Amino acid sequence: MQILLNKILENCRRITEKGKVATYIPALGKADPNDLGICVADMNGDLFSAGDYEKKFTIQSISKTVTLMLAIMDNGIEYVFDKIGMEPTGDAFNSIIKLEIVSPSKPLNPMINAGAIAVTSMIKGKNSLEKFHRLLNFFRKISGNENLDINEEAYLSEKATGDRNRSMAYFMRDVGIFTGDVEDILDVYFRQCSIEVNCIDIAKIGLFLANDGRIPETGEIITSEKVSRIVKTFMVTCGMYNASGQFAINVGIPAKSGVGGGIMTSIPHKMGIGVYGPALDDKGNSIGGCEMLKKLSEELDFSIF
Ligand code: GLN
């Protein structure tokens, strides 16, 4: 495995030149577009890594999977999916267009920004700080990393420039998708997106999902098999935005990307893989990350389809 990862990483480095680092959140623009890293965490507790796997980056949209788990645990499946749909959109992750067209108004799924903001609004807590702390502790628990925390600069940068998310959130409150203080809800959302991770952290969250919501080392049940299955299914249908179909064909496993350059994948009952490469393709997915996963899938034949 180690030799294979080294080889794939070296072969994929060049493709990062074809991608671009996200700049719509100004702090993300500082990332090095040449970075590329990978970590595989398997059910035996072994970790295999290559390249810039220890480099820290913000989790961004990968966080949507974790928030969805906690929101379902807090409110139940029925409540969550009464407000948020289960269908892929075919639109960009931050698209507004379907919010008004779909009737009654409902964000189409929890992996696009609109749906994810609605999910975040469902996290229980007395105030936004308590809500975020519950969420952060949940991230720490399932990644096995007690030190996870936010990157303050990325958080402030997105908060200062996140008007598209702001407009979606105000629209959603207007049509009754959620109630409460929009800025408070967005504050939790911007913080969750700014949690700093590396490839090992997201590989371990992927492994937790692969292990049906149980901590692999201890067997401790954190969430039900059903909740973990729902999350993995959304990762297949919507996790790579409007490239989810292509990714399912090329790689064939549940995956969730973020504009920070990370991709978290989960191969049921086998492994979690975390990749990082901040140079993105035109859909907002890590260009080097997608290529590495495609090559790895070909070599190990791990498509679940
Ligand atoms: N924080 C980012 C946003 O809301 C997350 C988007 C992403 O990673 N695709 O725009």
Side-chain angles (χ1 to χ4, degrees):
M1 178 68 90
Q2 187 60 56
I3 295 165
L4 179 63
L5 293 187
N6 292 344
K7 186 183 93 185
I8 286 177
L9 192 117
E10 280 326 306
N11 290 344
C12 293
R13 263 209 198 272
R14 298 249 348 248
I15 201 170
T16 59
E17 288 163 20
K18 296 200 179 132
K20 282 201 186 77
V21 166
T23 50
Y24 79 100
I25 300 173
L28 297 184
K30 294 185 179 170
D32 182 344
N34 303 311
D35 279 349
L36 198 59
I38 185 165
C39 174
V40 172
D42 71 16
M43 295 295 259
N44 302 326
D46 291 323
L47 290 179
F48 304 93
S49 331
D52 304 300
Y53 68 96
E54 282 179 311
K55 253 283 167 65
K56 286 189 177 173
F57 55 92
T58 53
I59 192 163
Q60 300 298 340
S61 279
I62 300 168
S63 67
K64 293 168 180 173
T65 57
V66 180
T67 317
L68 177 62
M69 275 187 267
L70 191 59
I72 297 176
M73 288 158 69
D74 276 356
N75 302 278
I77 294 173
E78 233 173 275
Y79 181 89
V80 172
F81 295 108
D82 184 45
K83 310 272 184 205
I84 300 156
M86 297 183 171
E87 304 305 330
T89 65
D91 300 322
F93 63 86
N94 55 1
S95 175
I96 297 180
I97 193 159
K98 297 253 167 66
L99 269 185
E100 201 182 9
I101 292 173
V102 175
S103 175
S105 188
K106 193 169 172 172
L108 276 170
N109 69 67
M111 300 291 120
I112 50 168
N113 286 10
I117 293 167
V119 169
T120 299
S121 78
M122 296 175 184
I123 299 297
K124 295 235 152 91
K126 279 202 300 286
N127 50 42
S128 56
L129 220 58
E130 187 180 299
K131 289 176 192 178
F132 178 67
H133 276 290
R134 287 192 62 237
L135 203 45
L136 182 61
N137 282 334
F138 191 63
F139 274 89
R140 287 175 174 167
K141 180 107 198 166
I142 66 173
S143 64
N145 184 352
E146 280 294 303
N147 298 319
L148 287 189
D149 218 330
I150 66 168
N151 174 320
E152 196 75 19
E153 189 192 353
Y155 156 66
L156 292 173
S157 178
E158 182 165 12
K159 197 175 166 83
T161 56
D163 285 346
R164 181 179 276 258
N165 286 330
R166 213 162 256 124
S167 52
M168 284 187 238
Y170 277 103
F171 182 87
M172 287 192 286
R173 185 175 69 175
D174 180 60
V175 296
I177 292 167
F178 55 73
T179 55
D181 188 300
V182 170
E183 287 303 327
D184 281 355
I185 292 165
L186 284 170
D187 194 64
V188 181
Y189 175 76
F190 294 144
R191 282 178 194 271
Q192 79 177 52
C193 289
S194 309
I195 294 174
E196 238 179 359
V197 289
N198 62 23
C199 290
I200 304 172
D201 298 320
I202 56 173
K204 289 181 90 176
I205 300 176
L207 182 65
F208 164 81
L209 286 167
N211 198 33
D212 299 329
R214 284 168 299 172
I215 303 285
E217 290 90 350
T218 60
E220 186 187 349
I221 298 171
I222 303 294
T223 190
S224 67
E225 194 179 334
K226 182 153 189 191
V227 171
S228 118
R229 180 150 30 93
I230 290 173
V231 171
K232 281 179 283 192
T233 310
F234 275 123
M235 288 164 72
V236 169
T237 56
C238 319
M240 304 298 283
Y241 313 115
N242 42 338
S244 297
Q246 190 187 359
F247 189 89
I249 288 178
N250 286 343
V251 187
I253 53 172
K256 182 75 203 82
S257 72
V259 286
I263 304 175
M264 172 181 87
T265 72
S266 176
I267 310 180
H269 308 135
K270 290 205 176 100
M271 59 180 88
I273 309 172
V275 299
Y276 171 58
L280 308 179
D281 62 20
D282 57 348
K283 305 274 169 63
N285 295 320
S286 169
I287 194 163
C290 286
E291 190 65 15
M292 285 197 295
L293 290 167
K294 182 172 176 228
K295 293 262 163 22
L296 200 58
S297 177
E298 283 163 8
E299 292 278 350
L300 301 178
D301 192 23
F302 60 40
S303 171
I304 62 169
F305 302 110

